[in-house]
Amino acid sequence: MPKDMENDSSQAIVIGAGLGGLAAAMRLGAKGYAVTVLDRLDLPGGRGSSVTQDGHRFDLGPTIITVPQVYESLWAACGRNFHEDIDLRPMDPFYEVRWQDGSTFTARQDTDAMLAEVARLSPRDVKGYKKFLKDSQRRYVVGFEGMVAKPMHRLWETIKVLPEFAVLRADRSILGLAKARVKDPRLQMALSFHPLFIGGDPRHVTSMYALVAYLEKEFGVHYAMGGVQAIAKAMARIVRAQGGVIRQGAEVDEILVQDDAAKGVRLNTGEQIRADLIVSNADAGHTYQHLLRNRQRKRWTDAKLKSRRWSMGLFVWYFGTKGTAQMWPDVGHHTITNAPRYEGLLKDIFIKGKLADDMSLYIHRPGKTDPSVAPEGDDTFYVLSPVPHLGFDKPVDWKAEAERYKAKVQAEVEKTLPGFAERISTEMVLTPENFRDRYLSPNGSGFSIEPRILQSAWFRPHNISEEAKGLYLVGAGTHPGAGVPGVISSAEVLAKMVPDAPVPVEMKVAAE
């Protein structure tokens, strides 16, 4: 950076090239800021990045795209068309849920098809399912349309919605709502498990998250050809086209604060970069505990962060299989298999911190839609198991447990993909310890702070920091929360709080 530009108020630094950081950089670039994005990994995307190994592309994190208008709005703010950059394919069906007794539930966008699925499993629950759909739509209007892209750092904004929350029984959990509407335990699971995709315990996460069912029905579930990594790369291209700089392999060690204002960052190499506007896409916990470690904090002290409930950890097994593209024709793009226990397993994961013998799995088979993920005739898989995070008194020692747990996962996957293990040609595993080390995620959590009702909106780390003027936060750990639509929307919230970049003096003179 030229020396005379170091203190230019039109300069902005974004810490982290995750999807939230890239979206923030795009929004700031559209406002006229000269943006420098600093990221410790080798590819943009953060948890939405990928690893290519022996011809197989492993998408490391999110695998589906919902609410496409969130991306369309972001691209439009930059004068671009999202669909010109990204080939989005609708999923039909969305996913299949499987239980130990051999029963299944296939989720689709069409309401009649969903009603037929409910009737097939439990005819007496059709009426209750229709009520659940109405519940979902009402919660979408209040919770998504009314709050997601709105700044919530003022307590009054949260207080204003409390009457509506009371009417909608936001105090009831999503599982509690499902139980009130349907009696079949399988349907209770199928209607309540979605918060697990953003790190929440369905037994305690607010029923407002029933809005996900409406999102899926109204806007569909999609897959981006090339994976979410393709979206991240497209975002990076836009940032660079705006004149922004993205530096991979650049790790920020500290945010520099002077006179209660953020003034720049110091990298772990000792290099300092100055700017009056700093946006952290690092986890909120890491931002406050590490990047501001030398500053006395007003709100997000170490003690307060420790008292938060954090999302669960993830055990993810990525593997490629040889010559299996035509095998297992009944296994589609997305499959969810269930353990014999639902609530007991959730309690082990979120409350006891116990690594249970039984497990529920998400099996991702992207080759069903996108042949580019594997060599011709082969398959690429991603099997995810929710597990305890590392913040319990006796955390799981993954160096000792990883291979043993993988063997248990393998035995479970064999029920869905018989004979798969003997065809594995390449593999890799991520545990909560990898999430802690790779993504600097506190407690190795998969999705930052758990989205309970008193850890949402104003109660969550704010998009505008109380700790230093000019410091902002985006990503899963701040409002509106985890999940790709929420992460992308956090940058929209940022854009509503940050003014347009000041016009340089020379441009003012020229205009006059």
Side-chain angles (χ1 to χ4, degrees):
M1 183 186 300
K3 197 168 184 62
D4 60 350
M5 294 290 285
E6 285 185 350
N7 295 313
D8 186 342
S9 58
S10 65
Q11 299 288 315
I13 293 171
V14 176
I15 303 169
L19 299 177
L22 292 170
M26 290 169 67
R27 292 278 184 182
L28 293 175
K31 282 177 164 288
Y33 287 90
V35 184
T36 299
V37 183
L38 304 167
D39 189 84
R40 67 196 299 268
L41 301 180
D42 60 341
L43 286 174
R47 300 180 198 207
S49 61
S50 67
V51 169
T52 298
Q53 184 171 291
D54 300 322
H56 295 264
R57 190 188 72 242
F58 299 128
D59 297 310
L60 299 180
T63 60
I64 62 172
I65 299 298
T66 57
V67 206
Q69 63 266 36
V70 170
Y71 309 88
E72 294 164 355
S73 173
L74 173 61
W75 258 247
C78 301
R80 306 287 286 262
N81 184 328
F82 173 69
H83 296 283
E84 289 180 358
D85 289 342
I86 301 298
D87 181 1
L88 211 58
R89 303 286 178 92
M91 297 282 95
D92 185 27
F94 296 162
Y95 48 82
E96 182 184 61
V97 183
R98 297 184 176 193
W99 287 275
Q100 298 281 322
D101 64 3
S103 57
T104 63
F105 181 83
T106 302
R108 297 179 182 272
Q109 188 168 9
D110 181 73
T111 301
D112 289 338
M114 290 290 280
L115 289 170
E117 282 293 288
V118 173
R120 183 177 58 78
L121 274 184
S122 180
R124 65 174 177 160
D125 283 324
V126 170
K127 184 176 179 181
Y129 175 69
K130 290 180 178 178
K131 288 182 179 179
F132 184 85
L133 289 181
K134 290 181 179 178
D135 294 331
S136 175
Q137 183 173 4
R138 292 174 68 193
R139 283 159 176 77
Y140 166 79
V141 172
V142 174
F144 194 90
E145 289 187 345
M147 296 178 67
V148 162
K150 186 174 184 178
M152 299 298 291
H153 61 284
R154 295 186 177 91
L155 182 57
W156 173 242
E157 296 299 334
T158 296
I159 292 174
K160 282 195 299 186
V161 302
L162 291 182
E164 291 178 284
F165 270 43
V167 171
L168 295 175
R169 288 295 310 275
D171 60 309
R172 175 189 279 168
S173 72
I174 178 66
L175 179 56
L177 176 63
K179 286 183 172 182
R181 294 295 182 244
V182 297
K183 303 307 177 187
D184 190 297
R186 296 168 299 179
L187 288 177
Q188 292 171 357
M189 176 272 162
L191 299 184
S192 68
F193 78 91
H194 295 90
L196 288 166
F197 286 142
I198 55 171
D201 179 353
R203 300 174 313 126
H204 293 109
V205 166
T206 171
S207 64
M208 294 302 292
Y209 280 94
L211 63 84
V212 174
Y214 182 79
L215 288 179
E216 290 184 344
K217 187 175 78 70
E218 190 69 12
F219 307 116
V221 171
H222 304 80
Y223 175 84
M225 298 298 282
V228 172
Q229 178 73 83
I231 295 179
K233 287 182 176 180
M235 295 169 81
R237 287 195 297 272
I238 293 173
V239 171
R240 292 186 175 107
Q242 291 171 325
V245 175
I246 299 176
R247 290 176 56 180
Q248 302 291 161
E251 181 174 344
V252 174
D253 183 59
E254 186 172 5
I255 295 170
L256 304 175
V257 179
Q258 181 181 345
D259 298 328
D260 291 328
K263 290 297 181 181
V265 300
R266 181 170 52 246
L267 305 187
N268 61 356
T269 59
E271 178 186 356
Q272 293 188 19
I273 305 173
R274 298 286 174 174
D276 292 335
L277 175 58
I278 310 293
V279 180
S280 180
N281 181 216
D283 189 283
H286 180 78
T287 298
Y288 287 128
Q289 285 187 303
H290 185 82
L291 300 183
L292 288 175
R293 63 187 180 277
N294 292 319
R295 178 171 176 77
Q296 185 173 356
R297 283 165 267 137
K298 304 170 187 174
R299 186 183 188 206
W300 292 103
T301 62
D302 288 352
K304 183 161 186 176
L305 287 166
K306 187 174 181 179
S307 71
R308 299 302 86 185
R309 287 194 172 274
W310 292 80
S311 62
M312 79 283 195
L314 302 173
F315 178 93
V316 196
W317 184 14
Y318 308 87
F319 54 85
T321 52
K322 196 74 177 169
T324 61
Q326 303 305 316
M327 293 180 66
W328 315 301
D330 62 320
V331 179
H333 193 127
H334 305 288
T335 305
I336 297 162
T337 68
N338 275 283
R341 302 178 304 149
Y342 181 42
E343 293 187 61
L345 181 58
L346 291 173
K347 187 174 182 180
D348 283 347
I349 294 168
F350 285 93
I351 306 300
K352 294 182 178 180
K354 174 186 174 184
L355 189 61
D357 289 329
D358 59 339
M359 63 195 69
S360 293
L361 301 175
Y362 165 55
I363 302 174
H364 182 226
R365 190 185 191 183
K368 279 288 187 178
T369 306
D370 184 359
S372 72
V373 298
E376 186 175 355
D378 297 347
D379 256 322
T380 292
F381 288 91
Y382 152 151
V383 176
L384 179 151
S385 176
V387 295
H389 62 61
L390 301 174
F392 291 94
D393 290 339
K394 294 182 179 179
V396 177
D397 178 0
W398 283 103
K399 290 180 178 62
E401 292 292 339
E403 282 302 314
R404 283 197 290 265
Y405 194 73
K406 190 180 82 168
K408 294 175 183 178
V409 172
Q410 178 178 321
E412 193 62 35
V413 175
E414 280 284 349
K415 299 174 184 177
T416 303
L417 306 171
F420 85 97
E422 62 195 39
R423 294 177 175 271
I424 291 177
S425 57
T426 190
E427 62 182 314
M428 60 177 278
V429 166
L430 291 185
T431 73
E433 292 180 355
N434 297 115
F435 276 77
R436 177 196 62 200
D437 299 340
R438 178 180 173 86
Y439 303 121
L440 306 179
S441 176
N443 301 315
S445 296
F447 306 90
S448 193
I449 294 173
E450 187 184 359
R452 294 192 176 201
I453 192 166
L454 292 180
Q455 296 189 157
S456 300
W458 181 84
F459 301 100
R460 205 165 181 81
H462 298 160
N463 303 93
I464 182 169
S465 177
E466 305 91 340
E467 309 300 344
K469 182 181 177 182
L471 174 61
Y472 298 83
L473 276 70
V474 294
T478 187
H479 174 72
V484 183
V487 165
I488 298 293
S489 294
S490 69
E492 185 176 352
V493 175
L494 169 77
K496 292 176 179 177
M497 297 188 296
V498 174
D500 290 348
V503 179
V505 175
E506 59 270 21
M507 290 184 65
K508 286 183 181 178
V509 172
E512 291 170 357

